[in-house]
Amino acid sequence: MSVTVQFCGEEFVAPDDRPLTIGRVADVEIDDNPYLHRVFLQVHHEHGLWWLTNVGSTLTATVADTKGLFQAWLSPGARIPLALESFTVWFTAGPTTYDFDLLVEDTPFVSVETSPDLEPEHSAGETTVGRVSMTPDQKLLVVALCESFLRTAYAGGGQIPSSAEAAARLGWTVTKFNRKLDNVCQKIADAGTRGLHGGPGKLASNRKARLVEHALSTRMVTEADLALLPEAAPGA
């Protein structure tokens, strides 16, 4: 049983006798980003299992299997067993959101998808993602925020557009964009997703980053949804 980290086209195999570190100055060097911990995450072997641990002090990471069936929010000091065959990890440091893949060989468990026939019907004009139904405009907003990640062929880093940039991409006013962003964040937070509010009645400053991490990790949006976006202006 072994674990391989894939980042920006490179592969890093975790050794059995010590942790594989991930961060600004680590075995897997993510980026020379001052907002990123020198060592943020580590992959290590213990009690017959491989584990992913957040050894940072402030940043969080979103971890999901690549089928979108499992998601965890890894806070500082937390760890999860890498018990499935593949995962993707997303995290945001300052203005940049990064992602990398974890491949686990000879894992003791496999993910099982339920039949689509068992999923409940939902109202016309809405898209259901887990326990959350989105209107077409809300889905379009999420696709616009995730566009740079959906167009990337391999794990790495990407920029989340500002509200003004995303609004212009959709041909909306900033007021309309922010109103719909509020609605989407509230809807997903009400469904139990953490990190979209800074406290009661107060939206977190990094809500867009957390929304993007959640949308990608649950496969709320996929590469196929890029077709929903209007054509980009020439030279954009």
Side-chain angles (χ1 to χ4, degrees):
M1 185 176 176
S2 64
V3 174
T4 300
V5 175
Q6 294 182 335
F7 177 69
C8 285
E10 294 188 75
E11 294 190 348
F12 306 84
V13 179
D16 291 328
D17 56 347
R18 66 172 181 83
L20 177 75
T21 57
I22 302 165
R24 178 163 50 91
V25 183
D27 298 322
V28 183
E29 293 187 356
I30 298 297
D31 193 7
D32 186 17
N33 181 341
Y35 294 97
L36 179 62
H37 298 306
R38 290 169 60 87
V39 176
F40 171 40
L41 301 166
Q42 67 178 25
V43 177
H44 63 285
H45 192 261
E46 182 180 345
H47 304 309
L49 287 173
W50 286 95
W51 299 79
L52 178 68
T53 302
N54 184 342
V55 295
S57 59
T58 59
L59 300 180
T60 61
T62 299
V63 185
D65 75 307
T66 52
K67 295 180 181 178
L69 303 176
F70 162 85
Q71 184 200 49
W73 196 35
L74 204 62
S75 301
R79 69 176 185 171
I80 60 168
L82 300 177
L84 299 176
E85 59 268 26
S86 58
F87 298 86
T88 300
V89 181
W90 293 265
F91 57 93
T92 300
T96 306
T97 296
Y98 304 92
D99 65 294
F100 63 85
D101 294 327
L102 289 167
L103 304 180
V104 186
E105 291 187 2
D106 300 323
T107 175
F109 303 99
V110 294
S111 57
V112 178
E113 298 183 64
T114 58
S115 170
D117 296 335
L118 299 178
E119 296 182 359
E121 295 183 359
H122 53 275
S123 303
E126 292 188 343
T127 300
T128 300
V129 182
R131 293 172 291 169
V132 178
S133 295
M134 294 191 297
T135 66
D137 273 359
Q138 290 171 345
K139 177 70 172 285
L140 196 58
L141 177 147
V142 177
V143 176
L145 289 177
C146 297
E147 182 177 10
S148 71
F149 300 93
L150 296 175
R151 293 192 186 281
T152 302
Y154 51 80
Q159 296 289 327
I160 298 172
S162 67
S163 293
E165 291 169 338
R169 178 73 177 91
L170 297 173
W172 295 354
T173 65
V174 175
T175 300
K176 176 180 178 179
F177 179 89
N178 285 331
R179 183 177 70 251
K180 291 187 180 293
L181 177 63
D182 289 343
N183 293 338
V184 171
C185 288
Q186 186 65 56
K187 186 176 288 189
I188 297 175
D190 288 345
T193 299
R194 299 170 57 195
L196 290 169
H197 286 84
K202 180 181 178 182
L203 283 173
S205 60
N206 65 342
R207 62 179 178 165
K208 285 190 295 185
R210 176 59 181 144
L211 175 59
V212 167
E213 292 177 14
H214 175 76
L216 294 171
S217 64
T218 59
R219 297 185 65 79
M220 177 185 293
V221 293
T222 65
E223 184 179 351
D225 293 317
L226 291 170
L228 299 174
L229 294 172
E231 289 189 17

